[in-house]
Amino acid sequence: MAWNSGTDTGSVSRLGATNGGSDKRSLFLKQFAGEVLTSFEERNIFMPLHRVRTISNGKSAQFPVTGTSSAAYHTAGDTIYGGSVNASEITVTVDDLLVSSTFVPKIDEAMNHYDVRSIYSSEMGNALSNAADKNIASIIYQAATGAGTADQEVQWTNADFAGLSNGSTGAKGKIDIATPASEGTATYTAQNIVDGIINSLMTFDKHDVTGEKYCVLSPEAYYTLMGADSTAINRDQGGNGSVAGGNVPTVGGVKILMSNHLPTADNGSVPLNESGRGATPYTGSDAFDADLKGMVFTKDAAATVKLLDLGVESEYQIERQGTLMVAKYAMGHNALRNKAAIALVA
């Protein structure tokens, strides 16, 4: 039989058409490619960069703090009575339970052609990890600029940063990398960032702040540091970064990291705390700075106490005909040593 090249297709049964409709592919399966595009996982970096303690019960943990001793020459024949060393404690209180949850109806799971539980579990875990990372970053910023803790070491003063921020007066805990006379200049260079880190190290050393130093920069500042004019990249000037590798390993011996979680805006979504501290310590005008470009700090700047570490639970609910999935943690954060952190602003 000859091939009919005409336009009459009325006798053809199109398997993809709904009730003979015009869309000949509407009933065909939208093939699942094997991957589900989830939201980008935000980078969570602050947890290993500060002190963390896990408790099995209780509402808080104590971090004892001791002062320093003194030395004096002894005169022959005099009795040595011994001097005194002051002591205090810093308490880190566990916040209320923070949860992320979702409900998956059984009928939807039956109709769906790919598994969503593992995806939802990952996304809920990411949500809580991001919340913890933002809270820790806010506490580190407050360690640099806040009102202080029960640390035996005297906190930063404005005079400590004279000529580094706010002109000759200085703004405690802050180094302005662009215009030390007045905070709020949007333009800065890679060399400004390098100088800010070096000035931070100088300030730490002038006040005998020891320990491994870390620097966390905003994405804008981090990639500015990778610019062609950067001494952090230029190997002729001792730089060890790599444009090809997309990293800036160290500046002045300080490990350089990047985060989207620097406290540049009020973290107002965090709920109130019922542990006796009043309002949550992660919000308010003292907990963020819109001009913040980075922070240089040691592990002693902040502490976290974990009562319940990050976990995920699920339960099928007969009365609702679906599965409730809950991710949760119970932990709290507080500043430890005020002189263990410096904020870089511009």
Side-chain angles (χ1 to χ4, degrees), residues 36-299:
V36 177
L37 297 178
T38 62
S39 60
F40 286 104
E41 181 176 349
E42 298 176 75
R43 301 181 67 176
N44 305 289
I45 64 170
F46 284 102
M47 190 62 75
L49 304 183
H50 74 306
R51 302 295 178 189
V52 179
R53 180 179 296 179
T54 300
I55 60 176
S56 58
N57 49 57
K59 67 176 184 178
S60 61
Q62 173 199 51
F63 287 78
V65 180
T66 58
T68 58
S69 184
S70 59
Y73 288 104
H74 176 252
T75 301
D78 286 356
T79 302
I80 301 176
Y81 292 101
S84 61
V85 177
N86 292 331
S88 58
E89 67 176 25
I90 297 173
T91 301
V92 183
T93 304
V94 178
D95 296 330
D96 294 335
L97 192 69
L98 187 63
V99 301
S100 177
S101 63
T102 187
F103 181 80
V104 183
K106 182 179 179 66
I107 186 65
D108 287 2
E109 271 196 298
M111 291 181 178
N112 203 23
H113 59 283
Y114 59 90
D115 176 65
V116 297
R117 295 195 189 190
S118 60
I119 302 166
Y120 288 171
S121 296
S122 176
E123 291 304 315
M124 291 187 298
N126 289 343
L128 295 183
S129 296
N130 293 339
D133 214 47
K134 293 176 182 178
N135 291 345
I136 296 168
S138 176
I139 289 296
I140 293 174
Y141 172 75
Q142 292 178 72
T145 64
T149 63
D151 189 2
Q152 290 294 323
E153 178 66 28
V154 178
Q155 70 181 90
W156 293 126
T157 65
N158 291 338
D160 294 330
F161 293 85
L164 298 175
S165 59
N166 197 29
S168 60
T169 302
K172 64 177 182 178
K174 292 184 179 183
I175 291 179
D176 195 321
I177 61 176
T179 53
S182 177
E183 181 181 336
T185 301
T187 303
Y188 55 91
T189 66
Q191 189 59 50
N192 291 150
I193 301 172
V194 172
D195 291 343
I197 296 172
I198 298 301
N199 284 330
S200 297
L201 295 177
M202 176 192 70
T203 306
F204 282 142
D205 286 343
K206 286 173 62 177
H207 293 84
D208 299 319
V209 178
T210 59
E212 184 178 2
K213 313 297 192 303
Y214 306 96
C215 177
V216 179
L217 299 173
S218 67
E220 178 189 30
Y222 185 87
Y223 288 107
T224 297
L225 196 57
M226 289 180 59
D229 66 331
S230 176
T231 55
I233 297 295
N234 192 334
R235 295 184 184 273
D236 292 337
Q237 300 184 48
N240 63 354
S242 170
V243 174
N247 59 77
V248 185
T250 59
V251 172
V254 178
K255 187 175 182 179
I256 308 298
L257 302 166
M258 178 182 65
S259 175
N260 278 323
H261 295 158
L262 292 180
T264 56
D266 193 1
N267 190 13
S269 62
V270 179
L272 294 179
N273 181 284
E274 297 178 0
S275 61
R277 284 190 287 176
T280 175
Y282 317 122
T283 66
S285 59
D286 294 332
F288 72 95
D289 189 334
D291 300 320
L292 185 64
K293 306 304 177 186
M295 298 186 295
V296 184
F297 56 94
T298 75
K299 277 194 171 185

